[in-house]
Amino acid sequence: MSYFWANLGAHLLISLLLLIVFLKAAKNTQQNRWSRGFLYLIPVVLMIILLVQLAVFSIPRVLDTTCVLRSTYHVHTGTIEKINYFKNHITVDGKTFYVNPFDFELNEGDEVVVKYTPYAHYAYSMELAVEDEPES
């Protein structure tokens, strides 16, 4: 679970740095310090990048902190369709889950049971699904 907390901290740090750079660019724009006219668009571009960073990465992870602290996860069973090159996210039956790349040892085509957080789809645990054999 330390990977989740490190990931959350990294994304919050990136969001904070983007906000600081945006505020400095907005201040330069207000004081007419840009030497070229197109540079006045820098705050707009930075704000779009910041909003995407917040919406896609930071806010879902912040919302998932309560689920991680209470250990309440959603469960999904399916077949691994695709594993990212860096092994940090996988696709199971069309759903993308973010996993710890240092703790991942499954292959494509494996039937797995995934416990994940509801907003960021961070996979807390992944285990091979056990097929129930009929008794004779």
Side-chain angles (χ1 to χ4, degrees):
M1 198 62 345
S2 60
Y3 181 75
F4 173 81
W5 296 112
N7 198 309
L8 172 67
H11 283 290
L12 289 176
L13 181 64
I14 290 169
S15 297
L16 179 65
L17 292 175
L18 281 170
L19 179 64
I20 291 169
V21 171
F22 165 76
L23 292 174
K24 287 186 179 191
K27 184 177 180 181
N28 284 344
T29 300
Q30 284 179 339
Q31 296 175 352
N32 293 325
R33 289 188 181 170
W34 299 116
S35 59
R36 307 244 187 237
F38 68 90
L39 294 176
Y40 284 95
L41 293 175
I42 288 177
V44 175
V45 172
L46 286 172
M47 182 50 68
I48 291 171
I49 293 171
L50 176 62
L51 289 175
V52 168
Q53 164 69 20
L54 287 171
V56 174
F57 297 108
S58 298
I59 292 173
R61 282 164 177 76
V62 169
L63 292 173
D64 281 341
T65 56
T66 58
C67 296
V68 171
L69 291 173
R70 286 188 270 156
S71 297
T72 56
Y73 303 103
H74 291 171
V75 178
H76 179 76
T77 303
T79 305
I80 298 176
E81 296 173 353
K82 182 181 174 186
I83 300 173
N84 184 346
Y85 178 73
F86 295 111
K87 293 186 177 184
N88 64 342
H89 70 271
I90 63 166
T91 305
V92 177
D93 293 340
K95 288 186 172 183
T96 301
F97 298 101
Y98 296 94
V99 297
N100 183 350
F102 306 111
D103 197 26
F104 184 75
E105 297 177 4
L106 299 172
N107 299 314
E108 289 183 12
D110 289 346
E111 186 81 17
V112 293
V113 176
V114 182
K115 292 181 182 178
Y116 66 97
T117 59
Y119 299 104
H121 288 243
Y122 171 76
Y124 169 70
S125 72
M126 294 184 62
E127 301 169 353
L128 289 173
V130 179
E131 300 274 333
D132 290 334
E133 294 183 18
E135 296 180 17
S136 48

